[in-house]
Amino acid sequence: TRLRWWNMGDKQIAELEQSRQPQEQLTLYSPFRGVVQDLGVDQGRKVMAGDHLVDVADLSVVWVWADFYQEELALLKTELPVTFTTSAYPTDKFSGRIAVVDPYINEARRTGRVRLDIANPDLKLRPDMYVNIELALDMGEGLTVPVTAVMPTGRHNIVFVDKGEGRLEPRFVETGRKFGDDFTVLSGLK
């Protein structure tokens, strides 16, 4: 039982039972597949129960933290599928799902964080890599205008309708969400 507490495998214990000889060196195997992140001991150093020996990072599933503007947070929910790319592998697309929408906002940047859980069987994704997130949502059909066509005046938003022959007609519009370089128009234009 004590040998099992030391993470010795059944095969190693069976070898000890057969040889009946104590060993000066003991090989410890990690209970999971991963990458050695930090080695806290040196060869020949005495270790005691509870000593920190090694950090092994399991990178078969990685977390990606993505920042979204506060206006976009209402569109996000858990289990929403996402795809992303990274400059390290420009031809590869990775996919995952939203696992957690952080309930707090970054005060300085006005963004909220979202955690994505990504399967990483080939160990291509590594800690601290930058990625570009792509999120596709079906928002239905609607009227949009370019952001540059909207003139905010403080209380109202104005767009100008081309009436031909150099005549422009100002219209008050109510804009909705911003998608890329476009605003949705809720009222004021048809």
Side-chain angles (χ1 to χ4, degrees):
T1 302
R2 179 179 281 176
L3 295 177
R4 282 195 177 88
W5 286 347
W6 290 346
N7 289 333
M8 285 185 69
D10 291 334
K11 182 179 176 184
Q12 290 173 299
I13 294 172
E15 287 174 5
L16 274 178
E17 284 177 336
Q18 271 202 343
S19 70
R20 301 300 239 179
Q21 294 296 318
Q23 296 177 355
E24 288 189 21
Q25 295 182 3
L26 173 64
T27 301
L28 298 176
Y29 296 95
S30 173
F32 56 87
R33 181 175 173 241
V35 178
V36 174
Q37 192 170 2
D38 182 36
L39 192 60
V41 294
D42 300 44
Q43 186 173 353
R45 181 181 290 183
K46 176 183 174 184
V47 293
M48 301 296 291
D51 285 354
H52 184 81
L53 303 179
V54 65
D55 286 332
V56 178
D58 179 9
L59 298 177
S60 62
V61 175
V62 294
W63 287 359
V64 173
W65 285 100
D67 288 337
F68 287 88
Y69 292 110
Q70 67 182 7
E71 296 82 12
E72 300 166 337
L73 292 175
L75 302 172
L76 305 176
K77 59 182 183 259
T78 58
E79 296 302 316
L80 194 64
V82 295
T83 58
F84 67 92
T85 57
T86 178
S87 60
Y89 304 100
T91 58
D92 293 352
K93 281 202 171 209
F94 302 91
S95 60
R97 296 195 172 277
I98 293 178
V100 175
V101 178
D102 192 345
Y104 298 100
I105 296 286
N106 181 313
E107 200 173 314
R109 293 187 309 200
R110 310 308 304 161
T111 58
R113 291 188 336 155
V114 172
R115 191 189 85 206
L116 314 171
D117 289 349
I118 310 297
N120 189 25
D122 300 332
L123 303 180
K124 287 183 176 182
L125 301 174
R126 297 185 175 114
D128 298 323
M129 284 180 108
Y130 283 101
V131 298
N132 296 313
I133 303 290
E134 296 175 16
L135 180 64
L137 296 172
D138 184 3
M139 300 301 293
E141 293 184 10
L143 178 64
T144 62
V145 294
V147 170
T148 56
V150 178
M151 182 188 309
T153 63
R155 296 185 76 193
H156 301 287
N157 293 318
I158 299 174
V159 297
F160 291 92
V161 177
D162 186 0
K163 292 303 227 176
E165 300 176 5
R167 292 184 300 130
L168 299 175
E169 180 183 313
R171 297 259 180 97
F172 292 118
V173 294
E174 183 181 349
T175 58
R177 294 193 183 279
K178 180 182 174 197
F179 296 99
D181 294 332
D182 295 321
F183 277 124
T184 58
V185 177
L186 303 176
S187 65
L189 290 176
K190 292 184 182 175

